[in-house]
Amino acid sequence: MGLLIFFLLIIAVVVACIMIRNNIVRHHNASIRAWSDVATYERQKIKILDGLQPLVEQYSNFEKGTLEKVTELRQNILNLNLNNADVAQLQRIESLNKEVMHSLNVVVENYPELKADEIYLKMMNEIEEQNENVGAAITIFNRNVELFNNNIQIFPNNIVNTLSLGKKAIRPFRDLAATQNFDYRPNF
């Protein structure tokens, strides 16, 4: 009888470890998928930027810096690693995106006929929509990262992770420019 209880306990521990390991893998894969969604939405901006570039080039004699920023943003998005969550690179892209949007608004102020151009308006709306999609995808990514990190850090999951997978915590995306504007800083 005692031997049966001992084997049942061992089987229960093994089953629990397998379930914990599978849960860690599931959350890690969800984080990878969420990162891919972020990268995909960023890449969709390239199509819009490709159409916007010739339009801005018409005004490039006066606004060469804006054209250079559009080109740089496009190249940074192309270099975004789909297989590895490079949050620092995403932060650079989002910062550059804000600069480009500001520069394009300055170009429009200087050249009102550009603002009236339907193609430009359509592209700006598409860029804004893509920016909203990226923001939503980043929110989902950060939530998946939180779930994954919790899963590998809580007991006994941390032991199962260390012994079987060795997964490391993923760094969530933080918009440093936005957080610098807050007066409140949490104490964690």
Side-chain angles (χ1 to χ4, degrees):
M1 183 67 173
L3 191 58
L4 180 64
I5 292 173
F6 176 74
F7 282 128
L8 288 177
L9 281 175
I10 292 202
I11 291 171
V13 167
V14 168
V15 168
C17 288
I18 290 170
M19 290 173 59
I20 290 170
R21 183 186 184 283
N22 289 345
N23 210 22
I24 291 170
V25 169
R26 186 177 302 110
H27 287 293
H28 185 258
N29 290 341
S31 296
I32 291 170
R33 183 186 65 240
W35 176 255
S36 294
D37 290 345
V38 170
T40 298
Y41 285 123
E42 285 290 356
R43 295 264 166 112
Q44 287 176 353
K45 283 188 209 175
I46 291 173
K47 294 175 186 171
I48 302 164
L49 292 172
D50 285 346
L52 185 61
Q53 201 165 346
L55 196 56
V56 173
E57 281 176 350
Q58 294 174 7
Y59 300 90
S60 66
N61 294 338
F62 304 101
E63 304 299 338
K64 184 177 181 187
T66 300
L67 180 61
E68 289 170 355
K69 287 179 185 175
V70 168
T71 304
E72 183 182 354
L73 174 61
R74 184 183 181 284
Q75 190 59 47
N76 273 285
I77 293 171
L78 281 173
N79 293 336
L80 188 62
N81 189 339
L82 293 173
N83 300 321
N84 188 14
D86 187 348
V87 174
Q89 187 179 17
L90 181 61
Q91 287 171 327
R92 286 190 301 277
I93 288 171
E94 288 303 300
S95 175
L96 188 56
N97 184 60
K98 288 177 186 173
E99 287 180 38
V100 167
M101 296 307 288
H102 176 73
S103 296
L104 288 172
N105 287 332
V106 169
V107 170
V108 167
E109 289 171 10
N110 291 334
Y111 307 102
E113 67 273 11
L114 179 60
K115 187 175 186 176
D117 191 320
E118 284 185 38
I119 295 171
Y120 174 80
L121 291 174
K122 183 177 182 243
M123 287 183 194
M124 292 307 292
N125 287 336
E126 288 177 15
I127 288 174
E128 188 59 38
E129 183 179 326
Q130 290 305 320
N131 285 340
E132 289 172 9
N133 290 342
V134 168
I138 287 171
T139 299
I140 293 168
F141 169 73
N142 280 346
R143 180 67 182 136
N144 282 310
V145 165
E146 176 189 4
L147 291 171
F148 170 73
N149 289 345
N150 287 342
N151 243 300
I152 65 170
Q153 293 169 349
I154 61 174
F155 180 82
N157 298 18
N158 58 348
I159 294 171
V160 173
N161 179 53
T162 301
L163 294 176
S164 67
L165 294 168
K167 298 286 186 190
K168 304 288 183 216
I170 300 172
R171 192 174 67 162
F173 176 81
R174 289 188 175 87
D175 188 345
L176 300 177
T179 56
Q180 288 174 353
N181 294 330
F182 293 142
D183 291 333
Y184 174 76
R185 300 256 193 265
N187 61 348
F188 50 81

